[in-house]
Amino acid sequence: MTACEALIDGDWLAARLDAPDIVILDATSFLPTDPRDPKQCFREARIPGARFFDINDVVDPASKLSHAMPKPETFLAKVSRLGAGDGFKVVVYDANGGGSAAMRAWWMFRACGHEDVAVLDGGLPKWIADGHPVEDGPERPLAPRDWRHFTPREGGPRVVPMAEVLDNLTAKTAVLADARAAERYAGTAPEPRASRFFGHVPGAVNLPHANFFNADKTVKSPEEIRAIFAAAGAPLDSTPLVAMCGTGVTACVVAFAAFLAGKTDVAVYDGSWEEWGNSDVPVATGPKP
């Protein structure tokens, strides 16, 4: 898959709403501090034919972390019941517009080896603003005959454990990019989830995920993205890049942006600050790595 195939616009999707080989997934999710119910939002307005991909459900049930990547067998069981399977192009979007949860879904499919997955640029808000149709009402579960076979494959981007991030404190073989807002990175703003400590992993650079979006929540150009990475001290070269955030969701915005700019192998530290900020590990504060 090329970068241009990973980001599609509303006109492209509107012309293919009835295509039999495209599966549309609404991955809307909100922070714990946001009172909105993503499933209610889905019932009130969604792209016709979309099914709900719950990033809070497609997780490792054995983990205490909010968004731990599930084992391949768990992932395939979840997505096959949404009609996503081998030979299908998956299009993901969310109601935030900025695409953070949609990009998490995109990254998860790629981590399981499914390359034919794309994000809708600007999400549901731009889809509606551009005059494209929506539907409402409860989602009807697919009958078992409509489930699709999904084959997990190796070779996708890696999930990085905390032990590897700890080792990198001294090895410094990878660049760690923190996608949280600057205030959370500096330790001057509270976390949306319980945290013993505030700040960032020592040496991590700050790449707030919001910086990768235009005012209308569409994604910035590859040239602009490369400039953002370079300015933060994370040039998109052969150096390994690991993204993190609060729970591994907006980290995938960093991974997606890097993909558009030509770096396809960005790993994600799934535990992110939810794990690091509640462990007895080194913590740095302030605006600098």
Side-chain angles (χ1 to χ4, degrees):
M1 166 171 279
T2 64
C4 63
E5 294 172 328
L7 184 67
I8 55 104
D9 62 26
D11 290 343
W12 185 96
L13 182 59
R16 294 167 175 81
L17 282 180
D18 296 324
D21 59 345
I22 292 180
V23 176
I24 306 171
L25 300 179
D26 182 324
T28 298
S29 181
F30 304 114
L31 286 171
T33 52
D34 192 320
R36 289 177 294 174
D37 179 354
K39 293 183 179 179
Q40 181 60 32
C41 291
F42 177 82
R43 289 188 289 268
E44 292 174 353
R46 61 180 178 269
I47 295 175
R51 313 206 70 79
F52 190 71
F53 181 95
D54 189 349
I55 67 168
N56 298 302
D57 176 64
V58 188
V59 296
D60 181 357
S63 176
K64 296 179 180 179
L65 301 172
S66 297
H67 297 118
M69 182 71 188
K71 291 180 170 57
E73 56 269 25
T74 300
F75 188 80
L76 74 87
K78 297 287 186 180
V79 302
S80 64
R81 285 160 175 74
L82 297 176
D86 299 345
F88 284 78
K89 183 177 187 66
V90 178
V91 175
V92 290
Y93 74 91
D94 63 45
N96 294 301
S100 58
M103 291 172 187
R104 172 67 183 182
W106 169 88
W107 189 88
M108 292 174 75
F109 271 96
R110 290 194 65 246
C112 283
H114 190 87
E115 291 286 338
D116 201 1
V117 54
V119 172
L120 177 64
D121 203 11
L124 187 63
K126 192 169 193 313
W127 173 269
I128 293 173
D130 288 346
H132 296 305
V134 294
E135 66 179 12
D136 57 16
E139 178 181 13
R140 293 185 296 276
L142 289 178
R145 65 176 179 273
D146 295 317
W147 295 353
R148 296 291 178 257
H149 178 71
F150 182 92
T151 305
R153 295 175 174 85
E154 296 181 353
R158 296 190 309 118
V159 177
V160 171
M162 185 169 70
E164 188 168 327
V165 179
L166 273 168
D167 288 344
N168 194 62
L169 292 179
T170 53
K172 301 185 187 305
T173 56
V175 173
L176 182 64
D178 191 326
R180 293 176 299 156
E183 295 80 10
R184 289 170 62 190
Y185 171 88
T188 58
E191 289 292 314
R193 296 173 178 83
S195 184
R196 289 170 55 200
F197 307 107
F198 301 94
H200 57 269
V201 177
V205 300
N206 192 204
L207 275 167
H209 72 278
N211 292 358
F212 294 105
F213 298 102
N214 299 306
D216 63 354
K217 298 303 178 69
T218 54
V219 184
K220 290 186 175 179
S221 70
E223 294 75 21
E224 291 172 305
I225 289 170
R226 280 189 284 270
I228 292 170
F229 274 96
L236 297 175
D237 53 20
S238 60
T239 305
L241 179 64
V242 178
M244 66 169 289
C245 56
T247 64
V249 177
T250 58
C252 297
V253 175
V254 171
F256 185 81
F259 185 93
L260 294 183
K263 189 171 180 61
T264 62
D265 58 349
V266 178
V268 167
Y269 169 33
D270 251 0
S272 285
W273 197 256
E274 181 181 33
E275 181 177 40
W276 195 274
N278 287 292
S279 303
D280 293 319
V281 290
V283 171
T285 57
K288 296 181 179 180

